[in-house]
Amino acid sequence: MKLCVIPGDGIGQEVIPCAVAVLQHVMPDLEIVEARAGWACFQETGSALPEATVEAIHTCGAALFGAVSSPLHKVEGYRSPIVQLRQRFDLYANLRPTRIAWSLALRWMGRAQSVDLMLVRENTQGLYSGRERIVGDEAIAERVITRAASERIAHVAFSLARERERKTVTIVHKANILPITDGLFRDSVRTVGAQYPEVKINEMLVDTAAMMLASRPGQFDVIVTTNLFGDILSDVASVWGGGLGMAPSLNLGAQVAIAEPVHGSAPDIAGKGIANPCGAILSAALLLRYHWHRPDLADRIERAVYAAIESGVQTPDLGGSATTRAMLEAILQRL
Ligand code: NAI
Ligand code: MG
């Protein structure tokens, strides 16, 4: 098995080596191919995503991506490499699970409920289509929704739901305000749903879904939604799993998969050795489960991560004082 490893910027450089160490622990024969992308790479080479990196991912068929720093203003020639990769490799599904971290949810929210949800985000269209322009004083972003992409993401959501205990898909949209685009999304998902009679379908408006994810997340099983809504709602949901430092994701296409923690490059803590590596490690587990079809190894890694956390080894973002290194050691020990 081959894995292309792209640490990127900031804490990507700190958490990705941890995820690689964990993967190598359970897959001693794993071959690692290092590649570059991101802001530092752009400044040095003039490209945020060198062609050599794209080729390396293509050859390996799987990649682990850290995070990159993106400027908040337009920089000529710079485009976010992860958004480019999603489009280049047609990584149309973004899986973002949240599982309750009991001790953390109790400490922060004063309560915990059984949360085990999978957010399935359409990953190529919506407001991320790259169709943004300015005409005089009018700035326009086109929100593209197609039937084909909506049906494709629906198949991912229903296939996942079929294998889960509660077998329920909630379609999240804003069809009351966006009846044409989100109407098409909702109707396409429902059409596909008819092919999965064992799966129950709910729907919810996105603002209500945000409130429900913040207050009663236990009601959700699989959520399927459009690109931007999925980006935002998965950050809301991540709180129950211990926050951004814990949140994993997998960009999944027909041939290639790229695992990536949900968080960014975290410039405020970069270089201090205190970044939480769990989001990156749990992302590697998603790669094992859904791309390499090794749920046994994925289970082992997830158990080790949660056992380490419940034993009290926690980085500062979780309320503890463990370093990145200590967190990794605790996880390796439990493997
Ligand atoms: P961020 O996710 O980097 O950080 C948000 C907050 O969460 C910060 O206080 C940070 O210290 C904390 N945090 C994040 N991950 C953590 C971890 N593993 N352990 C401990 N604490 C953690 O988001 P922010 O600050 O909005 O963006 C910073 C940069 O990252 C920007 O340049 C942005 O464009 C980029 N970004 C990149 C992403 C990607 O490459 N996929 C995704 C999100 C942001
Ligand atoms: Mg995000």
Side-chain angles (χ1 to χ4, degrees):
M1 217 65 93
K2 275 186 170 186
L3 178 68
C4 178
V5 172
I6 308 161
D9 300 312
I11 62 166
Q13 298 281 345
E14 301 168 45
V15 298
I16 292 302
C18 299
V20 170
V22 166
L23 275 175
Q24 284 178 322
H25 189 91
V26 297
M27 301 173 88
D29 298 329
L30 184 67
E31 196 184 319
I32 301 293
V33 179
E34 289 265 358
R36 296 193 65 191
W39 180 244
C41 178
F42 175 74
Q43 287 181 311
E44 282 165 41
T45 69
S47 169
L49 181 64
E51 217 32 54
T53 298
V54 176
E55 269 162 41
I57 298 172
H58 188 80
T59 309
C60 296
L64 184 59
F65 185 96
V68 298
S69 301
S70 291
L72 285 177
H73 50 276
K74 187 153 178 59
V75 172
E76 213 41 62
Y78 183 90
R79 258 193 86 203
S80 161
I82 189 67
V83 175
Q84 285 186 65
L85 285 171
R86 288 169 183 162
Q87 285 166 353
R88 291 268 310 244
F89 289 106
D90 198 18
L91 305 172
Y92 62 92
N94 193 314
L95 309 186
R96 296 190 161 189
T98 298
R99 181 191 293 181
I100 192 84
W102 289 100
S103 57
L104 302 176
L106 275 172
R107 191 189 306 153
W108 293 350
M109 322 286 278
R111 68 209 159 97
Q113 48 188 300
S114 179
V115 181
D116 181 7
L117 65 87
M118 174 64 87
L119 189 140
V120 179
R121 164 186 174 193
E122 200 290 318
N123 213 23
T124 55
Q125 306 194 318
L127 275 170
Y128 291 67
S129 306
R131 298 201 202 163
E132 217 188 358
R133 62 184 189 278
I134 191 150
V135 183
D137 280 340
E138 193 172 53
I140 301 159
E142 282 178 336
R143 184 166 182 272
V144 181
I145 304 284
T146 65
R147 185 182 305 280
S150 305
E151 289 185 355
R152 192 160 70 153
I153 198 69
H155 278 293
V156 174
F158 286 107
S159 320
L160 286 170
R162 189 167 60 184
E163 305 302 323
R164 295 167 66 96
E165 213 178 287
R166 287 178 287 166
K167 303 192 195 318
T168 304
V169 169
T170 304
I171 312 170
V172 171
H173 60 74
K174 190 76 183 175
N176 53 339
I177 304 297
L178 303 164
I180 299 183
T181 46
D182 268 14
L184 179 62
F185 179 76
R186 189 254 331 268
D187 296 345
S188 306
V189 175
R190 279 202 171 268
T191 304
V192 168
Q195 299 170 38
Y196 298 80
E198 67 274 49
V199 179
K200 215 170 93 208
I201 308 180
N202 293 329
E203 47 179 283
M204 203 178 275
L205 295 175
V206 61
D207 36 1
T208 307
M211 186 269 287
M212 288 295 183
L213 277 170
S215 58
R216 289 180 45 217
Q219 69 186 283
F220 296 103
D221 183 16
V222 174
I223 294 173
V224 65
T225 189
T226 53
N227 209 338
L228 180 63
F229 294 165
D231 189 6
I232 298 169
L233 292 181
S234 56
D235 277 28
V236 177
S238 79
V239 174
W240 296 99
L244 269 184
M246 294 293 297
S249 85
L250 183 67
N251 300 281
L252 200 53
Q255 264 90 42
V256 171
I258 302 183
E260 165 207 13
V262 171
H263 63 73
S265 58
D268 53 338
I269 57 162
K272 295 187 179 162
I274 53 166
N276 184 349
C278 293
I281 293 168
L282 294 171
S283 300
L286 291 180
L287 193 62
L288 279 164
R289 187 180 302 281
Y290 295 110
H291 187 60
W292 285 333
H293 304 292
R294 290 299 304 266
D296 53 327
L297 298 182
D299 284 343
R300 266 182 72 196
I301 292 175
E302 288 171 0
R303 272 199 303 270
V305 167
Y306 289 105
I309 284 174
E310 295 302 332
S311 80
V313 184
Q314 295 168 2
T315 43
D317 58 308
L318 304 179
S321 58
T323 60
T324 307
R325 184 83 225 164
M327 189 84 241
L328 170 65
E329 293 300 336
I331 292 166
L332 287 175
Q333 216 173 48
R334 284 162 182 83
L335 274 175

